[in-house]
Amino acid sequence: MQRWIILTVVTTAFAGLAAPARAAQEAADPAPATTSVTLDDATIDPKIPSRVRVDVSYLCSVADDARSLTVSVEQKDPEDTSSVAFGSSRTAEADVICDGTRQHRRIVVQSKTINWIPGADAVLTATVSDIGAAPQAAADAKRAKLPTGPTTT
């Protein structure tokens, strides 16, 4: 019994000495940034009303696998509910920068059906995905009115 008590005291003392070392190691190696994506502004292109420009910001950590950034927009015509503008755009894997810093992109989404309607509600969705990561994707979605953007030259 006495040996067991001595062994327990010695083991506890060594564990107490190792705890600060583990805490220092964890502080030196912070957890990797989690993937997140945020939708910002969206405006209809004044020159080509079938295009909408969507501003997206995202953050993802360095990864061995390529990432994918997809933005989609859907808008029903308020006067004709059977008429729906829809489009999506996927950014090339090489263009999705994942280095642990927040990135900002302007994505152009082309409607595959009808022109976008200024001032009408639209549903915007953005997703950053990585098949090899856990969790596999981060997404943001929101409802917004699409204004016509400024004319650019």
Side-chain angles (χ1 to χ4, degrees):
M1 176 74 164
Q2 198 173 28
R3 289 182 190 162
W4 179 77
I5 293 172
I6 293 172
L7 181 60
T8 303
V9 170
V10 171
T11 304
T12 305
F14 283 133
L17 293 174
R22 275 194 306 264
Q25 179 65 28
E26 289 172 2
D29 296 333
T34 59
T35 301
S36 66
V37 62
T38 305
L39 285 160
D40 298 320
D41 295 330
T43 56
I44 298 171
D45 187 325
K47 291 184 179 180
I48 307 171
S50 63
R51 290 185 183 166
V52 66
R53 294 183 296 251
V54 181
D55 293 325
V56 178
S57 56
Y58 66 92
L59 170 73
C60 50
S61 59
V62 177
D64 294 333
D65 298 323
R67 304 286 173 95
S68 172
L69 171 62
T70 305
V71 176
S72 65
V73 181
E74 180 180 338
Q75 182 188 53
K76 288 186 179 180
D77 185 336
E79 296 178 12
D80 180 10
T81 56
S82 65
S83 181
V84 178
F86 176 80
S88 67
S89 179
R90 182 178 174 276
T91 303
E93 293 174 353
D95 293 337
V96 180
I97 300 167
C98 290
D99 61 2
T101 62
R102 184 152 295 278
Q103 304 292 321
H104 300 281
R105 300 289 308 262
R106 176 168 280 173
I107 308 294
V108 175
V109 178
Q110 174 77 38
S111 173
K112 296 175 178 21
T113 53
I114 61 172
N115 287 345
W116 303 108
I117 301 168
D121 279 344
V123 175
L124 302 122
T125 307
T127 307
V128 174
S129 59
D130 176 4
I131 301 302
Q136 294 179 343
D140 188 22
K142 72 178 183 178
R143 183 177 305 273
K145 296 197 182 297
L146 294 178
T148 300
T151 304
T152 56
T153 56

